[in-house]
Each structure stands twice: as C-alpha cells, then as structure tokens.
Amino acid sequence: MESDAATPAGFRQRKLPSKLRMRGAAPDMADPNQLFDDTSAHAGPPGLGYRGQETPGMGFPAQALLTEPMSNFAVTYGSSLASQGKEMVDRNLDRLITISKLKYYFAVDTVYVGKKLGLLVFPYMHKNWEVRYQQDTPVAPRFDINAPDLYIPAMAFITYILVAGFALGTQNRFSPEILGIQASSALVWLIIEVLVTLFSLYLVTVNTDLTTIDLIAFSGYKYVGMIVGVVSGLLFGRTGYYLVLLWCCIAIVVFMIRTLRLKILSEAAAEGVLVRGAKNQLRMYLTMAIATAQPVFMYWLTYHLVR
C-alpha cells in the first residue's frame, strides 16, 4: 500500500509540468518556451489588413493624377505672372526714360573720352559746337565730340568721391559717415541744380530739344574740374588748388555758354528772330546763370578737402 500510495504521488509530481505544457501549446509550435500564440498565420485576406501593412505601390496612381495637373497649372500661372510683371516694369520704365535713349548716352569710346576731357579743360580753341544729326536724330557721342554723354559725368562723380575720401584720409578726417555725407550732398546739389534749371526753362517758355538727361550730363561735367583742382591741392597745397580750380571754372563757364547757347536759342535761330529781342535776351541771361552757377558748386564741394 505504501508503494502504491507513493507511486501515484511521485507520478503526479513528475508528470504535472508535462501536462501543463501540452495543454496550452499549439501542435506546430516551434519554440516550447513561447508565452503567446502567433496569430498572424490566421489573418484574413491581404486586402483586409491594417493600413501600415498595405503594399507600397497602393494609392500612388491617384496622387499622380492629382499632383501633375496642379503642378503644371502652377508653373503656367507663375510664368504668366512673371511675363506680365516684366511687361509692366518695361512699360512704366519707358514712360520715365527710354532704354534706347539711355544707351545712346553711353555710346562712347576711348578716343571720344580723351577728346571730351581735353575740351572740358581747354575749350578755347574749339570752333564748331553744333551737334551733328543723321535723319533728325543726333549721332552717337563717339562720332561727335559735341554730343552730351553720361559716361564721363558718372565716372567723374565716382572718382570725385574717391578723391575726396583720399583727401580726407591724408588729413586724418576720414570716416565712412563723412564720406557718405560728401557723396549724398554732391548728389543732392546735382538734383537741385537740374530741377531749378528745368523750372527756369519752363518759366522762360523755352522750346528746346534739351532733355533732363542732357541737363544731368552738362551739370555732371563740372566734376572733372573739381577732381583736377583737388588733386592739384593735394600735390601743391592751397595755392595750387586755387589756381587750377580757377582755370577749370573759367573753362567750364566757356564750355557751358557755347554749348547751351545753341540749345536754348535754337528756336530763335530756326525762326530767324533777332537775338536782341527781349525774350531772347532773357534766354541768354538764363544761359549765363546756368554757366556761372557751375563754379559756385565746384568751390562749395571742394574747398574743405584741401588744407
């Protein structure tokens, strides 16, 4: 009895773990130590799975059908806006100044620049001051020394600012603020001079072919004499500055009178009216005033640069 009683108890102690393992195990389980059953093999058809389990190619054809027309429309609309904006800018710019006319004032070459600079400093020996025309349009400056240009005034203005900075630097007075004030003041005085000249021509009712660009060009020629005067002052002191500046002032007055006289009095010359008329004398006084204003600006913008 004791052996029979001991045998079932021992049997239960040895076989109980085996029965527990077999009770929850699947027939085809590979790992006997796995805690949870693998239910992925019993999933439904592929089309009923989760969104993250879909194949990578699903849904892309519909997106392409929606994306390509929108991108093409955006490109077309953007290009049309750009073309319209360019046309608007060109139209408004042409109202202020024609690009072809602006190119005319920069149509220069080395020979023209050299002759023009010599004419600005030594205008006394020059005889013919009339601008040549070809089919009612003035020829390019490189073919006519009397034609106004913007290349020399622009380069002279920039050179004047550089020379002014160098002169201030030799006197230990240079600073970016002072150089900026020097450049802005010279530009403001140039604008004021041109505006006053335009207003004076309007008051005198002068019918002339002078344009605003012509006035800017003629007013900008004085920077050549200013540069020569300042450089002379740096080399020879204030005595050299005053002597050279006086020469350049007389030269620019002669140049302006002989040039503007043909422009302002062109209407009277074309109509055969006597220059001694009251209206023409007023125009002559205006020409003299424009010419004599150049030395005033030349001295005002350079006297403080030489010590």
Side-chain angles (χ1 to χ4, degrees), residues 30 52 54 58 90 96 98 115 211 245-246 259 264 277 303 305:
E54 296 179 359
M58 295 183 64
D90 294 339
L96 299 176
T98 306
K115 291 182 178 180
T211 62
L245 186 66
L246 179 62
T259 302
I264 296 178
Y303 78 95
L305 299 176

Side-chain angles (χ1 to χ4, degrees), residues 6 23 79 151 153 174 187 200 234 270 296:
R23 184 177 301 174
S79 61
Y151 177 80
F174 176 81
L187 184 60
S200 301
L234 293 176
V296 176

Side-chain angles (χ1 to χ4, degrees), residues 115-294:
K115 291 182 178 180
K116 193 74 170 188
L117 292 176
L119 182 61
L120 292 173
V121 181
F122 301 98
Y124 312 104
M125 303 303 295
H126 192 64
K127 300 300 181 181
N128 185 13
W129 293 86
E130 294 183 358
V131 178
R132 291 186 295 172
Y133 283 80
Q134 183 178 8
Q135 297 179 355
D136 296 334
T137 57
V139 299
R142 63 174 176 268
F143 301 120
D144 186 10
I145 192 175
N146 296 323
D149 71 284
L150 285 179
Y151 177 80
I152 293 178
M155 294 297 103
F157 181 83
I158 297 174
T159 306
Y160 160 72
I161 300 303
L162 297 177
V163 172
F166 179 78
L168 293 173
T170 57
Q171 303 168 14
N172 296 324
R173 295 189 296 140
F174 176 81
S175 67
E177 293 79 11
I178 295 179
L179 190 62
I181 294 174
Q182 187 74 23
S184 59
S185 62
L187 184 60
V188 168
W189 280 116
L190 179 64
I191 295 174
I192 293 175
E193 178 186 354
V194 173
L195 293 178
V196 170
T197 304
L198 288 173
F199 184 69
S200 301
L201 292 174
Y202 173 76
L203 291 179
V204 181
T205 63
V206 176
N207 186 12
T208 178
D209 57 351
L210 273 175
T211 62
T212 305
I213 305 178
D214 292 337
L215 294 177
I216 294 175
F218 289 130
S219 300
Y221 286 139
K222 63 176 171 288
Y223 292 108
V224 175
M226 293 164 57
I227 294 170
V228 177
V230 173
V231 172
S232 301
L234 293 176
L235 295 177
F236 307 107
R238 295 192 67 86
T239 303
Y241 162 75
Y242 283 117
L243 292 177
V244 175
L245 186 66
L246 179 62
W247 175 276
C248 293
C249 288
I250 297 175
I252 196 65
V253 169
V254 174
F255 173 83
M256 295 291 286
I257 290 177
R258 293 184 177 180
T259 302
L260 295 180
R261 182 182 59 183
L262 298 177
K263 295 288 185 179
I264 296 178
L265 298 178
S266 59
E267 179 185 6
E271 296 176 355
V273 182
L274 294 177
V275 180
R276 287 176 293 182
K279 190 174 182 179
N280 291 329
Q281 286 184 355
L282 187 59
R283 295 175 181 177
M284 196 63 189
Y285 294 152
L286 177 60
T287 304
M288 294 290 297
I290 296 174
T292 54
Q294 306 304 311

Side-chain angles (χ1 to χ4, degrees), residues 19-39 41-42:
K19 288 181 180 181
L20 291 176
R21 286 196 302 268
M22 294 302 294
R23 184 177 301 174
D28 54 349
M29 182 180 293
D31 188 2
N33 296 323
Q34 186 173 351
L35 297 179
F36 301 99
D37 295 339
D38 186 6
T39 60
H42 304 284

